[in-house]
Amino acid sequence: MADHKAFTLPPGDGAKVCVGGGAGFIGSHIAKRLKENGYKVTVVDWKENEFMKPDEFCDEFILADLRKLEVAVKACKDCLQVYNLAADMGGMGFICSNESVLSFNNTSISMNMLEAARRSKCRDFFYASSACVYNEAKQEDPNNPGLIESDAWPARPQDMYGLEKLYSEEMALAYGRDFPLNVRIARFHNIYGPRGTWKGGREKAPAAFCRKAITSKKEFEMWGDGKQTRSFTFIDDCVEGVLRLTFSDCDVPINLGSTEMVSMNEFGRMALSYDSKDLPIKHIDGPMGVRGRNSNSKLILEKLEWEPTVKIIDGLRKTYMWIKGEIERERKDGNAADFSTSEIVVQVDDSLMALGNDESTV
C-alpha cells in the first residue's frame, strides 16, 4: 500500500459548523470529531441519538424537521461549513419498500440544506452521497472489478434512493458553479461500525449479520443466495475521508469506500467466527440489492493521496463486540425479542403527514 499523505484537521478555534442529520450514525461521528477539534457544532435532526448524549458530539442540538426550509436556514446561520448527512434511510429491508417516502423526504432535505448554506454564505458544503447512485447494469456480476465514478452515467440506479442521491449530487454541483460555495461530495460504500442502528428493520447488513450471529443457535438466516458481493467501510475511515475531502480542493464526486470485497456468505462466516460458531446458513427470500458492488480508489488516491485502510475482519469485530454488549443490556432490561431474524419495513406515510400535522392515512 502506498504511503498516505499526512492530514491534520485544522483547529476550529470556535468556528461554527452545522451537521445536518448529525444525530444519525455517520453524522454523529463526524460532529464528534469536529467538536473535539474546537469547532462549535450545531446538529439538526428530527430524532435524538440513541447511543450518545448531545454534549458528546455537539454544542447545540436542534430537534427539528429539515424538510422545512426555515429549520435549515436557522441551523446554518453564521456557519463556516455545512455537512449534509441528513437522509431518511436504512438497509435493503427499508429502502426497497419505502421508495416514495424516501424520495419525497430526501429531496426536500437536500434542497433545503443547499439553499440554507447559500443564504448563510457558508464557505464549504459537504454532501453525503452513496454508492447506490451507480448504474445497475454495472453491478450484475458478483466479481465486480470496482466502480469508477463515471459509471454513474448514463443513469440507471437500482432504486429511487440512488436516483435521488444522484440528482442531489448534480444539484449541489450546480450550486457550486453558480454561487461562491465549495461543494464536496463523497459516495459512501456501506459504512458500518459501533453506535449505529442494529435492530428494528433500518439496520444495514453488517449490524444485522452481527446481531444474528450473536443470537442464532441453530442456523444463520440470510436473504438471497449469499453470492452477492459488497465492500464495507469502517466508520473511522469514513470520518477521516469526509474531513480530508472537505478540506481539499477536490470538486468532483469521489468514492469513499474500501476495495476489500466479500460475498455475503463470507461476510456471514466472519460474523460467526468471533464466538467460534459454525452454524449452517439458511438462505431465504428477501431483498438482496445488486449482485456485485465494490469501490475503486483510483480517484481518491489521486485527489487526496489516501484511501480507507481498516480491514473488514477488524472493523466487523469491533462492531460485533459493541452489538453484543447492546444485546446483553436489552436482555437485562427484560427484552426477550428474537434478534436472530430480519424484517422488511412496511411503507407508511406518517412522516409525510407530519408536515401537515395530520394523522397517517395508512
Side-chain angles (χ1 to χ4, degrees), residues 129-135 139 147 162 187-190 255 293:
S129 187
S130 167
C132 293
V133 303
Y134 285 111
N135 190 314
Q139 303 173 82
L147 295 159
R187 293 172 179 166
F188 293 160
H189 285 252
N190 295 311
N255 284 325
R293 177 181 291 156

Side-chain angles (χ1 to χ4, degrees), residues 196-216:
T197 300
W198 59 273
K199 60 182 174 66
R202 284 187 181 239
E203 72 279 5
K204 295 189 175 182
F209 276 35
C210 288
R211 170 176 50 75
K212 289 191 276 191
I214 293 163
T215 58
S216 296

Side-chain angles (χ1 to χ4, degrees), residues 120-134:
S120 300
K121 296 181 171 56
C122 298
R123 186 189 70 189
D124 305 318
F125 182 89
F126 170 80
Y127 178 63
S129 187
S130 167
C132 293
V133 303
Y134 285 111

Side-chain angles (χ1 to χ4, degrees), residues 83-315:
Y83 296 79
N84 185 19
L85 284 295
D88 193 4
M89 57 132 11
M92 285 306 299
F94 178 74
I95 289 177
C96 70
S97 55
N98 287 269
E99 291 194 88
S100 301
V101 173
L102 292 181
S103 300
F104 181 92
N105 289 343
N106 293 342
T107 301
S108 302
I109 292 167
S110 297
M111 288 191 299
N112 289 343
M113 288 299 286
L114 262 173
E115 176 57 17
R118 183 196 71 82
R119 293 188 186 191
S120 300
K121 296 181 171 56
C122 298
R123 186 189 70 189
D124 305 318
F125 182 89
F126 170 80
Y127 178 63
S129 187
S130 167
C132 293
V133 303
Y134 285 111
N135 190 314
E136 185 177 14
K138 298 279 188 177
Q139 303 173 82
E140 295 173 347
D141 184 355
N143 298 312
N144 191 293
L147 295 159
I148 59 175
E149 285 74 4
S150 60
D151 285 338
W153 299 97
R156 202 188 98 188
Q158 185 184 51
D159 49 47
M160 285 298 298
Y161 177 77
L163 188 60
E164 185 279 325
K165 284 291 186 184
L166 190 58
Y167 169 75
S168 293
E169 282 188 11
E170 291 301 304
M171 184 165 57
L173 292 171
Y175 264 70
R177 292 190 298 269
D178 294 347
F179 304 108
L181 183 66
N182 298 323
V183 171
R184 304 292 180 257
I185 299 170
R187 293 172 179 166
F188 293 160
H189 285 252
N190 295 311
I191 313 303
Y192 72 100
R195 303 176 104 176
T197 300
W198 59 273
K199 60 182 174 66
R202 284 187 181 239
E203 72 279 5
K204 295 189 175 182
F209 276 35
C210 288
R211 170 176 50 75
K212 289 191 276 191
I214 293 163
T215 58
S216 296
K217 296 179 179 179
K218 295 182 179 180
E219 57 194 12
F220 182 91
E221 180 187 282
M222 183 184 297
W223 288 342
D225 61 10
K227 296 178 182 179
Q228 62 271 37
T229 54
R230 296 290 185 276
S231 61
F232 295 93
T233 310
F234 192 60
I235 184 62
D236 293 356
D237 276 338
C238 177
V239 173
E240 180 74 10
V242 167
L243 296 174
R244 282 175 177 258
L245 173 60
T246 303
F247 286 90
S248 77
D249 60 1
C250 176
D251 58 1
V252 294
I254 61 169
N255 284 325
L256 206 175
S258 168
T259 57
E260 181 188 4
M261 186 174 69
V262 294
S263 72
M264 292 302 95
N265 285 327
E266 293 169 329
F267 199 48
R269 289 293 173 201
M270 281 188 191
L272 288 164
S273 74
Y274 300 123
D275 277 324
S276 301
K277 289 187 175 182
D278 186 21
L279 302 179
I281 296 177
K282 180 184 179 182
H283 298 286
I284 64 172
D285 289 338
M288 295 185 296
V290 296
R291 291 301 289 168
R293 177 181 291 156
N294 192 16
S295 189
N296 180 296
S297 288
K298 181 178 180 181
L299 188 59
I300 195 172
L301 282 168
E302 175 188 322
K303 297 292 187 179
L304 304 185
E305 299 179 54
W306 174 89
E307 66 176 330
T309 59
V310 178
K311 297 296 183 184
I312 294 175
I313 193 70
D314 299 321

Side-chain angles (χ1 to χ4, degrees), residues 17 45-46 52 65 155 160 162 172 327 338 352:
V17 300
D45 209 315
W46 63 7
M52 296 188 209
D65 190 342
M160 285 298 298
I327 291 174
D338 182 6
L352 302 182

